[in-house]
Amino acid sequence: MSALNPRRPRRSTRTAKRQRGIAAIEFAFVFILLFIALYGVVTFGAIFYTQQAISRAAEEGARAAMLMPQPPTQGNVCQAVSGSLARSLAVPSSTCTSSTPGLISILLAACPGEPSCAVVTVTYRYKDNPILPLVSLFDTSWVPDQLRSSATVALKAS
C-alpha cells in the first residue's frame, strides 16, 4: 500500500510504461469514426444545398420565361438561370451554349398538349464538379451522378 493513499496500491513502473500510448491509440480509432460521420453529414449537406440551388435556378428560368415577350427564347431563359446559379456560389454558372452539353444543361420546352405552358429543366452533372472532393476510401456510390430540377410556368397569352 502507498503511504499517500492507503486504499490504492502503488503502480509499478512497468505497468505505467505499458499504459503510456493507449490514449493515443483510442483517440485514433475514435477520430477515424468521427471523421467518417462528419464527412458523410457535410457531403450530404453539400449535395442538398446544390440541389436547392438547381431548383431555385429552374424557378428563376421559368419566371423569366413567363415575364418575357412571347414566345420565350432559350438564350433569355439561360441568362436568368445562369444569374441564379452565379448567386448560389456553389454551382458554376453555365455558358449558355446549346451546341455541346457542358456541366450544366438548360432546356426550355413546351408542355405536352398545352401551347401556353413552358417547362424549364436544369441538369447539373454533380460527379464532374462536386462541392467537396470525393474521398476514394469511402463508398461514394450514394452520391448522385447528376442533379436535375424542372419548373413549369403558364405563359401569357400573346
Side-chain angles (χ1 to χ4, degrees):
M1 296 279 181
S2 172
L4 299 175
N5 189 353
R7 294 184 185 171
R8 189 171 170 196
R10 217 175 85 177
R11 278 189 170 167
S12 70
T13 57
R14 192 173 181 184
T15 306
K17 284 183 181 178
R18 283 190 296 179
Q19 296 291 322
R20 179 181 277 178
I22 195 73
I25 292 171
E26 289 174 353
F27 173 75
F29 286 132
V30 170
F31 178 75
I32 289 170
L33 293 175
L34 287 176
F35 178 76
I36 290 171
L38 183 66
Y39 177 79
V41 168
V42 171
T43 301
F44 179 78
I47 293 169
F48 186 74
Y49 176 76
T50 305
Q51 178 62 47
Q52 293 301 315
I54 298 297
S55 296
R56 188 175 39 244
E59 291 169 4
E60 289 287 329
R63 187 175 297 115
M66 178 183 69
L67 297 175
M68 289 177 194
Q70 301 306 316
T73 63
Q74 177 81 18
N76 291 341
V77 170
C78 188
Q79 287 178 347
V81 170
S82 294
S84 178
L85 291 176
R87 288 187 299 273
S88 75
L89 302 176
V91 180
S93 60
S94 65
T95 58
C96 291
T97 58
S98 58
S99 59
T100 58
L103 190 62
I104 299 168
S105 61
I106 301 164
L107 177 66
L108 173 67
C111 298
E114 280 289 323
S116 62
C117 177
V119 178
V120 177
T121 304
V122 179
T123 305
Y124 175 65
R125 293 194 325 228
Y126 188 80
K127 282 262 181 151
D128 293 343
N129 192 29
I131 293 177
L132 297 174
L134 299 176
V135 179
S136 61
L137 299 175
F138 305 131
D139 177 26
T140 57
S141 62
W142 58 274
V143 176
D145 290 337
Q146 58 183 334
L147 301 173
R148 178 177 295 157
S149 184
S150 296
T152 305
V153 66
L155 301 175
K156 293 187 283 187
S158 300

